[in-house]
Amino acid sequence: MSRILVTGGAGFIGSNFVHHLVEHTDHTITVLDKLTYAGNRASLDGLPADRVTLVEGDIADAEIVDDLFADADAVVHYAAESHNDNSLNDPRPFLDTNIIGTYTLLEAARRRKVRFHHISTDEVYGDLELDDPARFTESTPYNPSSPYSSTKAGSDLLVRAWVRSFGVEATLSNCSNNYGPYQHVEKFIPRQITNVIRGIRPKLYGAGQNVRDWIHADDHSSAVLRILESGRIGETYLIGADGEKNNKDVVELILSLMGEAPDAYDHVTDRAGHDLRYAIDSTKLRTELGWQPRYRDFESGLRETIQWYRDNEAWWAADKDGVEAFYAARGQ
Ligand code: NAD
Ligand code: TDX
């Protein structure tokens, strides 16, 4: 049995990973989370107290980080400022957490010689044309577009440098867009689901032709666990489940699954610098580590996710009005 430290474990994907570890392993888990607007203690409700401990703190706080690394066999690093629209509004927290925070963790991994896995995004590669047959691979050049994705790209490069220069035992993964339970209502899919629940029309940026490559958060978790157990040190693995869909199709599907007219949505101001298309080629992860996604049918995964938001209004209700006020002020 190992002790795993999960940074950002009270956020969307980190909390899904903690649930996954509890269900599928014997590890004990410490979550280090600053509980920003995006972190929620309730995302860890119901987990066994003898296996999961939440420590409230900042990944950029070297003292807390060093203490926690001293007691960990491995660290999985999810903590980040994660929302593109926020990064366009105020980039500074993205530098503090994504760059300085990751640097602080890497220095602790170096001192304490702890196995480290860094979670990143396909957005570091920039975007593809709609008709481009290519998908992102591990050798696609970095070309990030937003303050968010540029700070994630910077954090990835720090990890690679700490592996090469200091021998830190790290792996990296870059995943496509996640959906599933515990995702903050600022993000596309939960925003539209909770809009429909509240009687607000869904909001589509621009013409809605932008393509995202959707993967269920639990499939992301199983891939990360596989890399942690069997990935080669210093390597990067792309994680994706062949789920390309344009935003217009996703909004229309949400509306019809929720019993509304599929055209009952509004087009709103487009995102500045809006990436057109992301698409992941996950051949390396599948052939080298034998990973496969469990959710292969987006519609049934989405139906489950809609039900989760219907059943868990208490989890998201407090955030909804503030998020909609933020968007309204931006014409979105
Ligand atoms: P999220 O915003 O839902 O959660 C982030 C968590 O990190 C929150 O709990 C927050 O409180 C915590 N946090 C923020 N700053 C912190 C700090 N300084 N110290 C400690 N904790 C801090 O984000 P998410 O969508 O779950 O994303 C998690 C990770 O996965 C990020 O690194 C993101 O880049 C990556 N990722 C996300 C997606 C996606 O579709 N959401 C896809 C690929 C990769
Ligand atoms: O109301 C909306 N309407 C809309 O059309 C919102 C919030 C978004 N969109 C569009 C923008 C994107 O094309 O939907 C798409 C998805 O938007 P987000 O949920 O903001 O995700 P994205 O910008 O693609 O980034 C996500 O995936 C990669 C995560 O937020 C990142 O953390 C991750 O790295």
Side-chain angles (χ1 to χ4, degrees), residues 82 84 121 123 148 188 191 203 205 212 247 271 274:
S82 69
N84 276 299
T121 167
E123 297 194 22
Y148 162 67
F188 177 54
R191 183 182 183 205
K203 307 286 185 248
Y205 292 177
R212 297 295 182 264
N247 295 339
R271 174 182 285 171
H274 196 174

Side-chain angles (χ1 to χ4, degrees), residues 24-321:
H24 298 282
T25 73
D26 293 328
H27 303 317
T28 54
I29 302 131
T30 300
V31 168
L32 172 60
D33 199 296
K34 192 178 173 183
L35 297 177
T36 68
Y37 80 95
N40 193 335
R41 285 177 189 279
S43 303
L44 302 171
D45 278 357
L47 294 173
D50 58 340
R51 289 191 55 199
V52 180
T53 310
L54 171 62
V55 175
E56 187 175 345
D58 191 329
I59 58 165
D61 181 335
E63 220 170 292
I64 294 178
V65 164
D66 198 62
D67 284 351
L68 293 175
F69 272 57
D71 289 331
D73 298 308
V75 176
V76 184
H77 171 35
Y78 289 90
E81 285 294 334
S82 69
H83 193 36
N84 276 299
D85 293 318
N86 290 342
S87 82
L88 296 165
N89 189 51
D90 178 14
R92 178 62 198 241
F94 290 75
L95 285 117
D96 292 338
T97 290
N98 302 357
I99 301 282
I100 301 297
T102 301
Y103 154 77
T104 308
L105 298 175
L106 285 168
E107 284 291 84
R110 177 184 172 195
R111 266 192 309 274
R112 298 284 181 184
K113 303 198 184 334
V114 178
R115 170 82 172 86
F116 190 80
H117 181 74
H118 177 67
I119 301 293
S120 193
T121 167
D122 58 0
E123 297 194 22
V124 300
Y125 299 115
D127 59 355
L128 298 160
E129 293 300 326
L130 294 180
D131 59 357
D132 190 337
R135 298 189 291 170
F136 299 137
T137 71
E138 287 77 6
S139 53
T140 303
Y142 274 36
N143 187 27
S145 310
S146 74
Y148 162 67
S149 53
S150 62
T151 57
K152 290 300 292 186
S155 69
D156 293 8
L157 299 181
L158 293 176
V159 177
R160 291 182 183 184
W162 261 244
V163 169
R164 176 156 173 167
S165 301
F166 303 125
V168 166
E169 295 210 349
T171 41
L172 300 90
S173 56
N174 296 77
C175 188
S176 61
N177 282 63
N178 285 221
Y179 73 99
Y182 303 109
Q183 186 170 29
H184 196 275
V185 292
E186 69 188 355
K187 301 296 193 324
F188 177 54
I189 287 180
R191 183 182 183 205
Q192 314 314 338
I193 294 171
T194 55
N195 275 358
V196 175
I197 293 172
R198 282 287 165 85
I200 304 168
R201 284 164 71 88
K203 307 286 185 248
L204 192 60
Y205 292 177
Q209 294 307 304
N210 308 64
V211 170
R212 297 295 182 264
D213 189 353
W214 293 101
I215 181 173
H216 194 280
D218 192 58
D219 283 331
H220 187 179
S221 295
S222 69
V224 168
L225 185 57
R226 185 68 59 88
I227 296 165
L228 193 64
E229 288 167 345
S230 320
R232 283 181 294 138
I233 298 303
E235 292 290 316
T236 293
Y237 296 88
L238 261 53
I239 304 173
D242 300 330
E244 283 188 69
K245 299 262 176 304
N246 76 34
N247 295 339
K248 182 168 175 292
D249 288 346
V250 173
V251 163
E252 289 175 359
L253 184 57
I254 290 170
L255 281 160
S256 61
L257 290 174
M258 297 184 77
E260 302 289 328
D263 61 352
Y265 61 86
D266 297 326
H267 291 277
V268 295
T269 310
D270 207 352
R271 174 182 285 171
H274 196 174
D275 279 339
L276 194 51
R277 171 174 162 244
Y278 306 137
I280 288 269
D281 177 347
S282 59
T283 304
K284 176 176 173 182
L285 174 67
R286 292 174 193 236
T287 54
E288 198 178 289
L289 302 185
W291 173 83
Q292 293 286 340
R294 194 163 62 87
Y295 285 85
R296 289 157 191 281
D297 176 25
F298 180 67
E299 185 172 322
S300 64
L302 189 58
R303 194 179 281 116
E304 249 180 52
T305 304
I306 290 169
Q307 195 56 46
W308 190 87
Y309 282 90
R310 286 196 197 280
D311 293 342
N312 291 279
E313 190 155 348
W315 181 88
W316 56 265
D319 298 321
K320 183 67 183 167
D321 291 348

